[in-house]
Amino acid sequence: MNRRAFLRQICIASAMAIPCNALAAEFPEEEPQEQQEQYDLHVKDYISKMSHFDLAHPDDIILKDEELELLKNCTAKITRVMRTVGYGNFNLISVDQAFLFGRQYSRIGAFSTKEKEFLEKIFYYDADALGFYGDKPITAFTQTISRKDVIKIRHSGHYIFKGHPFEVWKEIKSALSSDVILTSGVRGVVKQFHLFLMKASSNGGNLSLASRSLAPPGYSFHGISDFDVGQKKYGEFNFTSRFTETRVFNKLNELGYLTLRYPRGNLLGVRYEPWHVKVSS
């Protein structure tokens, strides 16, 4: 099915209570009854998947055999890279640097040609096929992040890009003082790989399931601007819908800082993320 047509049908569905005038206006023509029924099935399927984002579904893309083994091996090696370079540094390193560390440190182990090719294949994989419909702000597998372009946030282990993202963070910090914490800032391609592959690996190689909770590598706006916030001493609940019960969420929402990248009922195939602050358009 055409991606834009699919999004249009989801937008039209009454179950998705979000603005959709622009998309509807772009596709004013009526669909034949048979095609309309097909779209309706896709819409119901989409809504079901987003309501149960952490469950497997019949048409999910799941890696098998050699590719599943490659997934596990790459996940393990990237985890060892993180432990070797340190949590904060890991947010910034590039794929080429990860490969270099693998060659330099026996406790990591060199990435094989097949493992490198597997990671590159995952990076350039069409995320639409996984059910992820967001934009891809990072198009280079070997993207690098310069330390001169970021600022480390004290006591967080995270970085924020200089310029507008940092100004937004300062305004948020000023409004909420010690109540608000930075739970995730700048993420290079390797960090996004780690999160995505860990989720897929822990769910039997299910790439579609992983994409409903985490943007695939290259598709995360953490790589160019966005960041996540949380309530101090709220732990893992900062990454659940319970975050909406916190003072931090309510205050930031009241002040207009939470222009969410993935709002409730979004059309991008991603679960609701009330903690994710959208910085760039």
Side-chain angles (χ1 to χ4, degrees), residues 4-20:
R4 292 162 67 82
F6 174 56
L7 294 180
R8 171 191 175 236
Q9 291 302 317
I10 294 174
C11 190
I12 291 172
S14 60
M16 304 295 279
I18 58 176
C20 53

Side-chain angles (χ1 to χ4, degrees), residues 253-265:
N253 195 40
E254 173 191 326
L255 295 174
Y257 286 112
L258 288 184
T259 305
L260 302 180
R261 176 72 61 188
Y262 305 115
R264 195 184 300 276

Side-chain angles (χ1 to χ4, degrees), residues 39-55:
Y39 285 147
D40 289 344
L41 289 174
H42 279 281
V43 170
K44 290 177 182 178
D45 181 56
Y46 175 89
I47 294 171
S48 175
K49 287 176 180 176
M50 297 318 302
S51 298
H52 306 91
F53 59 85
D54 228 6
L55 297 178

Side-chain angles (χ1 to χ4, degrees), residues 102-119:
R103 293 195 301 271
Q104 289 180 332
Y105 295 95
S106 58
R107 60 178 173 270
I108 297 174
F111 288 79
S112 69
T113 299
K114 283 190 175 182
E115 288 166 349
K116 291 177 181 179
E117 290 173 347
F118 170 78
L119 291 173

Side-chain angles (χ1 to χ4, degrees), residues 1 15 45 51 55 67 88 103 107 126 138 147 171 174 180-181 208 213:
M1 176 183 293
D45 181 56
S51 298
L55 297 178
E67 286 195 326
R103 293 195 301 271
R107 60 178 173 270
D126 183 1
I138 300 169
R147 288 183 179 270
E171 291 171 4
S174 176
V180 67
I181 58 173
S208 298
S213 293

Side-chain angles (χ1 to χ4, degrees), residues 29-231:
E29 73 281 357
E30 292 294 327
E31 301 289 355
Q33 181 63 30
E34 183 178 346
Q35 193 169 359
Q36 181 64 47
E37 291 175 357
Q38 181 186 17
Y39 285 147
D40 289 344
L41 289 174
H42 279 281
V43 170
K44 290 177 182 178
D45 181 56
Y46 175 89
I47 294 171
S48 175
K49 287 176 180 176
M50 297 318 302
S51 298
H52 306 91
F53 59 85
D54 228 6
L55 297 178
H57 295 273
D59 59 347
D60 283 352
I61 293 178
I62 303 174
L63 300 181
K64 303 289 186 183
D65 304 324
E66 183 182 16
E67 286 195 326
L68 179 59
E69 190 65 23
L70 287 168
L71 168 68
K72 293 178 178 178
N73 291 344
C74 288
T75 303
K77 285 184 179 177
I78 293 174
T79 298
R80 293 198 292 270
V81 170
M82 179 182 69
R83 292 171 179 167
T84 300
V85 304
Y87 183 81
N89 292 328
F90 185 66
N91 288 308
L92 304 181
I93 68 169
S94 69
V95 167
D96 285 339
Q97 287 173 316
F99 292 162
L100 176 61
F101 291 133
R103 293 195 301 271
Q104 289 180 332
Y105 295 95
S106 58
R107 60 178 173 270
I108 297 174
F111 288 79
S112 69
T113 299
K114 283 190 175 182
E115 288 166 349
K116 291 177 181 179
E117 290 173 347
F118 170 78
L119 291 173
E120 189 166 6
K121 178 181 177 180
I122 294 294
F123 183 85
Y124 289 112
Y125 196 87
D126 183 1
D128 283 11
L130 302 177
F132 184 95
Y133 304 110
D135 294 327
K136 189 172 187 177
I138 300 169
T139 58
F141 178 58
T142 56
Q143 182 233 27
T144 61
I145 296 173
S146 173
R147 288 183 179 270
K148 68 180 179 61
D149 294 331
V150 301
I151 295 175
K152 190 169 187 178
I153 306 303
R154 294 180 61 190
H155 310 302
S156 74
H158 296 289
Y159 297 80
I160 286 182
F161 282 102
K162 291 179 180 179
H164 183 52
F166 185 59
E167 293 304 315
V168 172
W169 167 249
K170 287 196 298 183
E171 291 171 4
I172 288 174
K173 192 65 176 173
S174 176
L176 281 133
S177 188
S178 61
D179 272 356
V180 67
I181 58 173
L182 179 67
T183 56
S184 187
V186 177
R187 294 183 200 157
V189 170
V190 173
K191 175 63 177 285
Q192 196 66 25
F193 256 120
H194 188 243
L195 296 173
F196 185 79
L197 296 184
M198 285 282 288
K199 184 72 173 180
S201 185
S202 64
N203 286 278
N206 192 326
L207 299 182
S208 298
L209 184 150
S211 75
R212 292 192 283 270
S213 293
L214 292 156
Y219 289 85
S220 173
F221 280 79
H222 280 268
I224 63 168
S225 62
D226 293 2
F227 54 86
D228 296 337
V229 296
Q231 174 80 43

